[in-house]
Amino acid sequence: MNVETVENYPALSATVAQSIIDAVARKPDALVCIAGGDTPLGVFSELVRASQNGNVDFSRVAFVGLDEWLGLGKADKGSCREMVWGHFFNHLNLRDEQICFFDGLTKDPATECQRVDEYIAAHGGIDIIVLGIGMNGHIGFNEPGVATNTGCHVVDLDDVTQAVSVKYFGKPLPVKQGISLGLKTILAAQSIILMASGEKKAAIIAKTRNAPVSSAIPATLLKPHPHLRVIVDRTAASQL
Ligand code: PGA
């Protein structure tokens, strides 16, 4: 697994944003998926700026969400919906049909999974997906031990994920499950970017690079993908 190292978080954000801009230039009606969470926030800012400056045209692009906490909606600070709309979608001029995002408040998660799977299929699959990595190596909410042949699915959240969740919500919330794109869908993407920033991600980036491909560390499952880029900043690379 080749790991590209850039100087710092702004450089990481700019590099990943440029990959999206290039993908959209190549395919103006691309289906794009960008993770929620803290890591992509700089990518969102770069893309909003590029859109406002006319350096990228999102008018024909479609976006699909990666995951969501079950039981949380737009009004909940730290939900994926609240973060991605607040930092990204609200600043672009998108039509409703350009966005497909999990409804964390759904009473019928199976139908919600089917809706998202069908949106992806109708767009011919994901063209480019930008992923963060959890402290436990999770990808989206694909936690350690995950099955690799799944489309969208409901997940029991790992203890590590539940503990980390406080940083988004500002307080402990009783979130026990998530809803997520599955590994089958993620690995079917034309290109994958895994990004990581900061000292706290150094250990899991090193483990991911050194470990064999196995669902024990879900990020290792990305390694066989022919168009995977792993891009990290210097601090996240510090244990390589
Ligand atoms: P983070 O989350 O970007 O907030 O660190 C990454 C993840 O859990 O996948």
Side-chain angles (χ1 to χ4, degrees), residues 28-192:
D29 61 349
L31 179 59
V32 174
C33 179
I34 307 177
D38 289 338
T39 311
L41 295 180
V43 176
F44 291 146
S45 311
E46 289 285 339
L47 290 176
V48 167
R49 199 160 42 149
S51 169
Q52 287 166 351
N53 292 341
N55 293 332
V56 63
D57 177 6
F58 288 127
S59 64
R60 293 175 56 204
V61 168
F63 293 97
V64 63
L66 175 64
D67 54 9
E68 184 57 284
W69 310 90
L70 266 182
L72 300 190
K74 200 171 197 160
D76 297 298
K77 185 192 166 301
S79 70
C80 297
R81 183 171 285 262
E82 186 262 345
M83 289 184 89
V84 176
W85 255 264
H87 290 274
F88 193 43
F89 294 153
N90 283 346
H91 307 280
L92 307 175
N93 252 333
L94 301 175
R95 300 176 306 283
D96 287 350
E97 71 269 18
Q98 287 181 273
I99 305 173
C100 177
F101 209 90
F102 290 114
D103 175 8
L105 298 177
T106 181
K107 294 282 174 279
D108 184 356
T111 304
E112 186 60 4
C113 286
Q114 198 182 341
R115 181 181 73 85
V116 175
D117 278 336
E118 285 173 3
Y119 185 90
I120 294 170
H123 286 79
I126 294 172
D127 290 288
I128 183 163
I129 185 164
V130 174
L131 301 165
I133 183 169
M135 302 294 287
N136 59 1
H138 78 191
I139 293 298
F141 281 143
N142 292 285
E143 302 281 33
V146 68
T148 55
N149 58 350
T150 52
C152 297
H153 60 143
V154 173
V155 182
D156 291 332
L157 297 172
D158 184 284
D159 291 345
V160 174
T161 302
Q162 292 187 47
V164 167
S165 72
V166 176
K167 75 168 177 163
Y168 307 115
F169 310 139
K171 58 184 177 193
L173 288 181
V175 283
K176 297 272 180 253
Q177 287 189 311
I179 188 167
S180 180
L181 300 193
L183 260 312
K184 191 171 78 179
T185 311
I186 291 170
L187 289 169
Q190 291 298 317
S191 66
I192 299 176

